[in-house]
Amino acid sequence: MSLLSRWFTATSDVLTVAVLGRRRVETTPPPAPPVSPVSPLQDIGARLRSDESDVRMDGLRDWVAFGESLAEHRQPALDELCAVLRDLPWPGTQVDQRWRMVLQATLAARLRPGPGFWLGCDLDLRHTTLVDFDLSACRPRTVRFDGTRFLGDTRFDQATFLGGFDASGAFFERHVQFTGSVFARGLGLRGVAVCGNGELSHIHVAGPVVLGRARFSGRADFTGARFGSEMDCSFVRFGGRAVFRRAWFAGVSSFAGTWFRGREDFVEASFGGESSFENTRFGHRVHAD
């Protein structure tokens, strides 16, 4: 056999092996991806998002049972319920609207002292639409409402917030009530818009208060409020009456650039630290006797 013939024979054998190997690779099915087991809470969350009301209610009952079974289940359960609320469409159907109210009431029931109370839980409802939201007399830890839309009337009165409270950029369609509430780590309302009245009388805030660039269309009532740290009330726009009668400011307070379009009342207010009213505008005579 000539050298050229031997080269053709060897090349043919190599190509045959390559083709057969390729066929074996092509005909071998790819391995199936591993299936991640679904946790009980994920299963509950899926049912809470169902379009069928019976499935939703079954999921809600299992949600309560899951949170009650172990103390360490409570925070993950609340996080999942907040996520379900955040995912609800707006305005949605009447069924969606009724379901939103059921979820809100269930949430508040877990945070209000009494039977079924879950102590030491955080609440994250950022960028959520809530309707006639009622957290009165509740006792959560840290709460987040950044960018949240509160439609209807909102109630936080007589509540105790053991952690921080932050509702920066939130929108309140009507009235919001904080009367008699306690804030252990501060109150953040930077840039909020309150289209109705803001009732904050007799609140107690141990940490800093941030109201910068907030907008109150109606009355803003801070009668008897106690601010134990610094307060930033700069560039706030009070469209209605602003009442700080008998309020107590323990730290530095700033009303710089604030516009009081309605009547303002600082009668018997006490300032323990420095206060600034630089470039403040008053639409009426100041009451500070």
mmCIF file with all atom_site columns, all heavy atoms in Angstrom, residues 141-158:
data_model
loop_
_atom_site.group_PDB
_atom_site.id
_atom_site.type_symbol
_atom_site.label_atom_id
_atom_site.label_alt_id
_atom_site.label_comp_id
_atom_site.label_asym_id
_atom_site.label_entity_id
_atom_site.label_seq_id
_atom_site.pdbx_PDB_ins_code
_atom_site.Cartn_x
_atom_site.Cartn_y
_atom_site.Cartn_z
_atom_site.occupancy
_atom_site.B_iso_or_equiv
_atom_site.pdbx_formal_charge
_atom_site.auth_seq_id
_atom_site.auth_comp_id
_atom_site.auth_asym_id
_atom_site.auth_atom_id
_atom_site.pdbx_PDB_model_num
ATOM 1   N N   . ARG A 1 141 ? -42.507 46.482 65.498 1.00 0.00 ? 141 ARG A N   1
ATOM 2   C CA  . ARG A 1 141 ? -41.155 46.973 65.733 1.00 0.00 ? 141 ARG A CA  1
ATOM 3   C C   . ARG A 1 141 ? -40.871 48.024 64.651 1.00 0.00 ? 141 ARG A C   1
ATOM 4   O O   . ARG A 1 141 ? -41.433 49.097 64.682 1.00 0.00 ? 141 ARG A O   1
ATOM 5   C CB  . ARG A 1 141 ? -40.162 45.807 65.708 1.00 0.00 ? 141 ARG A CB  1
ATOM 6   C CG  . ARG A 1 141 ? -38.782 46.126 66.252 1.00 0.00 ? 141 ARG A CG  1
ATOM 7   C CD  . ARG A 1 141 ? -37.981 44.864 66.500 1.00 0.00 ? 141 ARG A CD  1
ATOM 8   N NE  . ARG A 1 141 ? -37.913 44.015 65.303 1.00 0.00 ? 141 ARG A NE  1
ATOM 9   C CZ  . ARG A 1 141 ? -37.355 42.813 65.289 1.00 0.00 ? 141 ARG A CZ  1
ATOM 10  N NH1 . ARG A 1 141 ? -36.838 42.299 66.397 1.00 0.00 ? 141 ARG A NH1 1
ATOM 11  N NH2 . ARG A 1 141 ? -37.330 42.101 64.170 1.00 0.00 ? 141 ARG A NH2 1
ATOM 12  N N   . THR A 1 142 ? -40.024 47.752 63.705 1.00 0.00 ? 142 THR A N   1
ATOM 13  C CA  . THR A 1 142 ? -39.717 48.704 62.638 1.00 0.00 ? 142 THR A CA  1
ATOM 14  C C   . THR A 1 142 ? -40.762 48.592 61.531 1.00 0.00 ? 142 THR A C   1
ATOM 15  O O   . THR A 1 142 ? -41.136 47.495 61.122 1.00 0.00 ? 142 THR A O   1
ATOM 16  C CB  . THR A 1 142 ? -38.323 48.433 62.059 1.00 0.00 ? 142 THR A CB  1
ATOM 17  O OG1 . THR A 1 142 ? -37.352 48.575 63.102 1.00 0.00 ? 142 THR A OG1 1
ATOM 18  C CG2 . THR A 1 142 ? -37.994 49.398 60.940 1.00 0.00 ? 142 THR A CG2 1
ATOM 19  N N   . VAL A 1 143 ? -41.217 49.742 61.032 1.00 0.00 ? 143 VAL A N   1
ATOM 20  C CA  . VAL A 1 143 ? -42.188 49.744 59.938 1.00 0.00 ? 143 VAL A CA  1
ATOM 21  C C   . VAL A 1 143 ? -41.655 50.616 58.810 1.00 0.00 ? 143 VAL A C   1
ATOM 22  O O   . VAL A 1 143 ? -41.022 51.654 59.042 1.00 0.00 ? 143 VAL A O   1
ATOM 23  C CB  . VAL A 1 143 ? -43.583 50.237 60.392 1.00 0.00 ? 143 VAL A CB  1
ATOM 24  C CG1 . VAL A 1 143 ? -44.174 49.299 61.410 1.00 0.00 ? 143 VAL A CG1 1
ATOM 25  C CG2 . VAL A 1 143 ? -43.509 51.645 60.952 1.00 0.00 ? 143 VAL A CG2 1
ATOM 26  N N   . ARG A 1 144 ? -41.933 50.183 57.566 1.00 0.00 ? 144 ARG A N   1
ATOM 27  C CA  . ARG A 1 144 ? -41.500 50.918 56.377 1.00 0.00 ? 144 ARG A CA  1
ATOM 28  C C   . ARG A 1 144 ? -42.707 51.132 55.463 1.00 0.00 ? 144 ARG A C   1
ATOM 29  O O   . ARG A 1 144 ? -43.369 50.176 55.059 1.00 0.00 ? 144 ARG A O   1
ATOM 30  C CB  . ARG A 1 144 ? -40.429 50.115 55.625 1.00 0.00 ? 144 ARG A CB  1
ATOM 31  C CG  . ARG A 1 144 ? -39.149 49.857 56.403 1.00 0.00 ? 144 ARG A CG  1
ATOM 32  C CD  . ARG A 1 144 ? -38.319 51.119 56.573 1.00 0.00 ? 144 ARG A CD  1
ATOM 33  N NE  . ARG A 1 144 ? -37.974 51.745 55.312 1.00 0.00 ? 144 ARG A NE  1
ATOM 34  C CZ  . ARG A 1 144 ? -36.898 51.398 54.582 1.00 0.00 ? 144 ARG A CZ  1
ATOM 35  N NH1 . ARG A 1 144 ? -36.107 50.414 54.992 1.00 0.00 ? 144 ARG A NH1 1
ATOM 36  N NH2 . ARG A 1 144 ? -36.621 52.022 53.461 1.00 0.00 ? 144 ARG A NH2 1
ATOM 37  N N   . PHE A 1 145 ? -42.968 52.414 55.170 1.00 0.00 ? 145 PHE A N   1
ATOM 38  C CA  . PHE A 1 145 ? -44.047 52.771 54.249 1.00 0.00 ? 145 PHE A CA  1
ATOM 39  C C   . PHE A 1 145 ? -43.525 53.722 53.171 1.00 0.00 ? 145 PHE A C   1
ATOM 40  O O   . PHE A 1 145 ? -44.269 54.565 52.669 1.00 0.00 ? 145 PHE A O   1
ATOM 41  C CB  . PHE A 1 145 ? -45.200 53.433 55.001 1.00 0.00 ? 145 PHE A CB  1
ATOM 42  C CG  . PHE A 1 145 ? -45.925 52.530 55.969 1.00 0.00 ? 145 PHE A CG  1
ATOM 43  C CD1 . PHE A 1 145 ? -45.768 52.685 57.333 1.00 0.00 ? 145 PHE A CD1 1
ATOM 44  C CD2 . PHE A 1 145 ? -46.756 51.528 55.508 1.00 0.00 ? 145 PHE A CD2 1
ATOM 45  C CE1 . PHE A 1 145 ? -46.432 51.867 58.231 1.00 0.00 ? 145 PHE A CE1 1
ATOM 46  C CE2 . PHE A 1 145 ? -47.433 50.700 56.395 1.00 0.00 ? 145 PHE A CE2 1
ATOM 47  C CZ  . PHE A 1 145 ? -47.268 50.870 57.763 1.00 0.00 ? 145 PHE A CZ  1
ATOM 48  N N   . ASP A 1 146 ? -42.279 53.634 52.805 1.00 0.00 ? 146 ASP A N   1
ATOM 49  C CA  . ASP A 1 146 ? -41.708 54.528 51.805 1.00 0.00 ? 146 ASP A CA  1
ATOM 50  C C   . ASP A 1 146 ? -42.488 54.420 50.499 1.00 0.00 ? 146 ASP A C   1
ATOM 51  O O   . ASP A 1 146 ? -42.642 53.336 49.940 1.00 0.00 ? 146 ASP A O   1
ATOM 52  C CB  . ASP A 1 146 ? -40.251 54.174 51.515 1.00 0.00 ? 146 ASP A CB  1
ATOM 53  C CG  . ASP A 1 146 ? -39.420 53.922 52.766 1.00 0.00 ? 146 ASP A CG  1
ATOM 54  O OD1 . ASP A 1 146 ? -39.996 53.421 53.742 1.00 0.00 ? 146 ASP A OD1 1
ATOM 55  O OD2 . ASP A 1 146 ? -38.219 54.211 52.754 1.00 0.00 ? 146 ASP A OD2 1
ATOM 56  N N   . GLY A 1 147 ? -42.974 55.557 50.000 1.00 0.00 ? 147 GLY A N   1
ATOM 57  C CA  . GLY A 1 147 ? -43.661 55.567 48.715 1.00 0.00 ? 147 GLY A CA  1
ATOM 58  C C   . GLY A 1 147 ? -45.001 54.866 48.691 1.00 0.00 ? 147 GLY A C   1
ATOM 59  O O   . GLY A 1 147 ? -45.539 54.605 47.610 1.00 0.00 ? 147 GLY A O   1
ATOM 60  N N   . THR A 1 148 ? -45.570 54.584 49.847 1.00 0.00 ? 148 THR A N   1
ATOM 61  C CA  . THR A 1 148 ? -46.851 53.874 49.915 1.00 0.00 ? 148 THR A CA  1
ATOM 62  C C   . THR A 1 148 ? -48.015 54.830 49.652 1.00 0.00 ? 148 THR A C   1
ATOM 63  O O   . THR A 1 148 ? -47.973 55.999 50.052 1.00 0.00 ? 148 THR A O   1
ATOM 64  C CB  . THR A 1 148 ? -47.001 53.200 51.288 1.00 0.00 ? 148 THR A CB  1
ATOM 65  O OG1 . THR A 1 148 ? -45.979 52.214 51.426 1.00 0.00 ? 148 THR A OG1 1
ATOM 66  C CG2 . THR A 1 148 ? -48.352 52.531 51.438 1.00 0.00 ? 148 THR A CG2 1
ATOM 67  N N   . ARG A 1 149 ? -49.052 54.339 49.011 1.00 0.00 ? 149 ARG A N   1
ATOM 68  C CA  . ARG A 1 149 ? -50.280 55.111 48.785 1.00 0.00 ? 149 ARG A CA  1
ATOM 69  C C   . ARG A 1 149 ? -51.334 54.661 49.784 1.00 0.00 ? 149 ARG A C   1
ATOM 70  O O   . ARG A 1 149 ? -51.757 53.497 49.778 1.00 0.00 ? 149 ARG A O   1
ATOM 71  C CB  . ARG A 1 149 ? -50.802 54.918 47.365 1.00 0.00 ? 149 ARG A CB  1
ATOM 72  C CG  . ARG A 1 149 ? -49.916 55.467 46.272 1.00 0.00 ? 149 ARG A CG  1
ATOM 73  C CD  . ARG A 1 149 ? -50.646 55.504 44.953 1.00 0.00 ? 149 ARG A CD  1
ATOM 74  N NE  . ARG A 1 149 ? -51.186 54.207 44.573 1.00 0.00 ? 149 ARG A NE  1
ATOM 75  C CZ  . ARG A 1 149 ? -52.035 54.018 43.565 1.00 0.00 ? 149 ARG A CZ  1
ATOM 76  N NH1 . ARG A 1 149 ? -52.485 55.050 42.871 1.00 0.00 ? 149 ARG A NH1 1
ATOM 77  N NH2 . ARG A 1 149 ? -52.471 52.803 43.260 1.00 0.00 ? 149 ARG A NH2 1
ATOM 78  N N   . PHE A 1 150 ? -51.749 55.598 50.640 1.00 0.00 ? 150 PHE A N   1
ATOM 79  C CA  . PHE A 1 150 ? -52.811 55.335 51.612 1.00 0.00 ? 150 PHE A CA  1
ATOM 80  C C   . PHE A 1 150 ? -54.088 55.992 51.093 1.00 0.00 ? 150 PHE A C   1
ATOM 81  O O   . PHE A 1 150 ? -54.202 57.219 51.086 1.00 0.00 ? 150 PHE A O   1
ATOM 82  C CB  . PHE A 1 150 ? -52.446 55.901 52.982 1.00 0.00 ? 150 PHE A CB  1
ATOM 83  C CG  . PHE A 1 150 ? -51.255 55.245 53.631 1.00 0.00 ? 150 PHE A CG  1
ATOM 84  C CD1 . PHE A 1 150 ? -49.977 55.739 53.439 1.00 0.00 ? 150 PHE A CD1 1
ATOM 85  C CD2 . PHE A 1 150 ? -51.425 54.133 54.442 1.00 0.00 ? 150 PHE A CD2 1
ATOM 86  C CE1 . PHE A 1 150 ? -48.877 55.140 54.038 1.00 0.00 ? 150 PHE A CE1 1
ATOM 87  C CE2 . PHE A 1 150 ? -50.341 53.521 55.054 1.00 0.00 ? 150 PHE A CE2 1
ATOM 88  C CZ  . PHE A 1 150 ? -49.060 54.029 54.851 1.00 0.00 ? 150 PHE A CZ  1
ATOM 89  N N   . LEU A 1 151 ? -55.034 55.185 50.664 1.00 0.00 ? 151 LEU A N   1
ATOM 90  C CA  . LEU A 1 151 ? -56.299 55.696 50.158 1.00 0.00 ? 151 LEU A CA  1
ATOM 91  C C   . LEU A 1 151 ? -57.358 55.595 51.252 1.00 0.00 ? 151 LEU A C   1
ATOM 92  O O   . LEU A 1 151 ? -57.352 54.661 52.055 1.00 0.00 ? 151 LEU A O   1
ATOM 93  C CB  . LEU A 1 151 ? -56.729 54.905 48.924 1.00 0.00 ? 151 LEU A CB  1
ATOM 94  C CG  . LEU A 1 151 ? -55.686 54.835 47.796 1.00 0.00 ? 151 LEU A CG  1
ATOM 95  C CD1 . LEU A 1 151 ? -56.256 54.070 46.604 1.00 0.00 ? 151 LEU A CD1 1
ATOM 96  C CD2 . LEU A 1 151 ? -55.222 56.222 47.380 1.00 0.00 ? 151 LEU A CD2 1
ATOM 97  N N   . GLY A 1 152 ? -58.255 56.563 51.271 1.00 0.00 ? 152 GLY A N   1
ATOM 98  C CA  . GLY A 1 152 ? -59.217 56.626 52.365 1.00 0.00 ? 152 GLY A CA  1
ATOM 99  C C   . GLY A 1 152 ? -58.559 57.216 53.604 1.00 0.00 ? 152 GLY A C   1
ATOM 100 O O   . GLY A 1 152 ? -57.550 57.915 53.522 1.00 0.00 ? 152 GLY A O   1
ATOM 101 N N   . ASP A 1 153 ? -59.116 56.939 54.760 1.00 0.00 ? 153 ASP A N   1
ATOM 102 C CA  . ASP A 1 153 ? -58.555 57.411 56.028 1.00 0.00 ? 153 ASP A CA  1
ATOM 103 C C   . ASP A 1 153 ? -57.561 56.388 56.579 1.00 0.00 ? 153 ASP A C   1
ATOM 104 O O   . ASP A 1 153 ? -57.745 55.181 56.427 1.00 0.00 ? 153 ASP A O   1
ATOM 105 C CB  . ASP A 1 153 ? -59.663 57.648 57.059 1.00 0.00 ? 153 ASP A CB  1
ATOM 106 C CG  . ASP A 1 153 ? -60.570 58.806 56.660 1.00 0.00 ? 153 ASP A CG  1
ATOM 107 O OD1 . ASP A 1 153 ? -60.093 59.708 55.940 1.00 0.00 ? 153 ASP A OD1 1
ATOM 108 O OD2 . ASP A 1 153 ? -61.752 58.803 57.061 1.00 0.00 ? 153 ASP A OD2 1
ATOM 109 N N   . THR A 1 154 ? -56.520 56.903 57.234 1.00 0.00 ? 154 THR A N   1
ATOM 110 C CA  . THR A 1 154 ? -55.461 56.042 57.764 1.00 0.00 ? 154 THR A CA  1
ATOM 111 C C   . THR A 1 154 ? -55.324 56.283 59.262 1.00 0.00 ? 154 THR A C   1
ATOM 112 O O   . THR A 1 154 ? -55.334 57.425 59.716 1.00 0.00 ? 154 THR A O   1
ATOM 113 C CB  . THR A 1 154 ? -54.122 56.346 57.075 1.00 0.00 ? 154 THR A CB  1
ATOM 114 O OG1 . THR A 1 154 ? -54.284 56.233 55.656 1.00 0.00 ? 154 THR A OG1 1
ATOM 115 C CG2 . THR A 1 154 ? -53.042 55.381 57.543 1.00 0.00 ? 154 THR A CG2 1
ATOM 116 N N   . ARG A 1 155 ? -55.172 55.200 60.024 1.00 0.00 ? 155 ARG A N   1
ATOM 117 C CA  . ARG A 1 155 ? -55.103 55.315 61.484 1.00 0.00 ? 155 ARG A CA  1
ATOM 118 C C   . ARG A 1 155 ? -53.858 54.614 62.032 1.00 0.00 ? 155 ARG A C   1
ATOM 119 O O   . ARG A 1 155 ? -53.623 53.433 61.767 1.00 0.00 ? 155 ARG A O   1
ATOM 120 C CB  . ARG A 1 155 ? -56.349 54.704 62.123 1.00 0.00 ? 155 ARG A CB  1
ATOM 121 C CG  . ARG A 1 155 ? -57.645 55.444 61.821 1.00 0.00 ? 155 ARG A CG  1
ATOM 122 C CD  . ARG A 1 155 ? -58.784 54.873 62.640 1.00 0.00 ? 155 ARG A CD  1
ATOM 123 N NE  . ARG A 1 155 ? -58.521 54.965 64.069 1.00 0.00 ? 155 ARG A NE  1
ATOM 124 C CZ  . ARG A 1 155 ? -59.307 54.434 65.004 1.00 0.00 ? 155 ARG A CZ  1
ATOM 125 N NH1 . ARG A 1 155 ? -60.394 53.758 64.648 1.00 0.00 ? 155 ARG A NH1 1
ATOM 126 N NH2 . ARG A 1 155 ? -59.003 54.566 66.277 1.00 0.00 ? 155 ARG A NH2 1
ATOM 127 N N   . PHE A 1 156 ? -53.066 55.402 62.791 1.00 0.00 ? 156 PHE A N   1
ATOM 128 C CA  . PHE A 1 156 ? -51.945 54.872 63.568 1.00 0.00 ? 156 PHE A CA  1
ATOM 129 C C   . PHE A 1 156 ? -52.072 55.307 65.035 1.00 0.00 ? 156 PHE A C   1
ATOM 130 O O   . PHE A 1 156 ? -51.097 55.248 65.774 1.00 0.00 ? 156 PHE A O   1
ATOM 131 C CB  . PHE A 1 156 ? -50.612 55.395 63.022 1.00 0.00 ? 156 PHE A CB  1
ATOM 132 C CG  . PHE A 1 156 ? -50.295 54.966 61.606 1.00 0.00 ? 156 PHE A CG  1
ATOM 133 C CD1 . PHE A 1 156 ? -50.366 55.866 60.558 1.00 0.00 ? 156 PHE A CD1 1
ATOM 134 C CD2 . PHE A 1 156 ? -49.916 53.668 61.343 1.00 0.00 ? 156 PHE A CD2 1
ATOM 135 C CE1 . PHE A 1 156 ? -50.059 55.483 59.263 1.00 0.00 ? 156 PHE A CE1 1
ATOM 136 C CE2 . PHE A 1 156 ? -49.609 53.264 60.042 1.00 0.00 ? 156 PHE A CE2 1
ATOM 137 C CZ  . PHE A 1 156 ? -49.679 54.178 59.010 1.00 0.00 ? 156 PHE A CZ  1
ATOM 138 N N   . ASP A 1 157 ? -53.230 55.765 65.441 1.00 0.00 ? 157 ASP A N   1
ATOM 139 C CA  . ASP A 1 157 ? -53.400 56.326 66.770 1.00 0.00 ? 157 ASP A CA  1
ATOM 140 C C   . ASP A 1 157 ? -53.219 55.259 67.854 1.00 0.00 ? 157 ASP A C   1
ATOM 141 O O   . ASP A 1 157 ? -53.553 54.089 67.674 1.00 0.00 ? 157 ASP A O   1
ATOM 142 C CB  . ASP A 1 157 ? -54.766 56.997 66.910 1.00 0.00 ? 157 ASP A CB  1
ATOM 143 C CG  . ASP A 1 157 ? -55.909 56.090 66.468 1.00 0.00 ? 157 ASP A CG  1
ATOM 144 O OD1 . ASP A 1 157 ? -55.891 55.648 65.311 1.00 0.00 ? 157 ASP A OD1 1
ATOM 145 O OD2 . ASP A 1 157 ? -56.797 55.801 67.294 1.00 0.00 ? 157 ASP A OD2 1
ATOM 146 N N   . GLN A 1 158 ? -52.657 55.706 68.990 1.00 0.00 ? 158 GLN A N   1
ATOM 147 C CA  . GLN A 1 158 ? -52.439 54.854 70.169 1.00 0.00 ? 158 GLN A CA  1
ATOM 148 C C   . GLN A 1 158 ? -51.538 53.655 69.879 1.00 0.00 ? 158 GLN A C   1
ATOM 149 O O   . GLN A 1 158 ? -51.549 52.672 70.615 1.00 0.00 ? 158 GLN A O   1
ATOM 150 C CB  . GLN A 1 158 ? -53.785 54.370 70.738 1.00 0.00 ? 158 GLN A CB  1
ATOM 151 C CG  . GLN A 1 158 ? -54.784 55.464 71.063 1.00 0.00 ? 158 GLN A CG  1
ATOM 152 C CD  . GLN A 1 158 ? -54.264 56.428 72.126 1.00 0.00 ? 158 GLN A CD  1
ATOM 153 O OE1 . GLN A 1 158 ? -53.564 56.031 73.044 1.00 0.00 ? 158 GLN A OE1 1
ATOM 154 N NE2 . GLN A 1 158 ? -54.623 57.711 72.000 1.00 0.00 ? 158 GLN A NE2 1
#
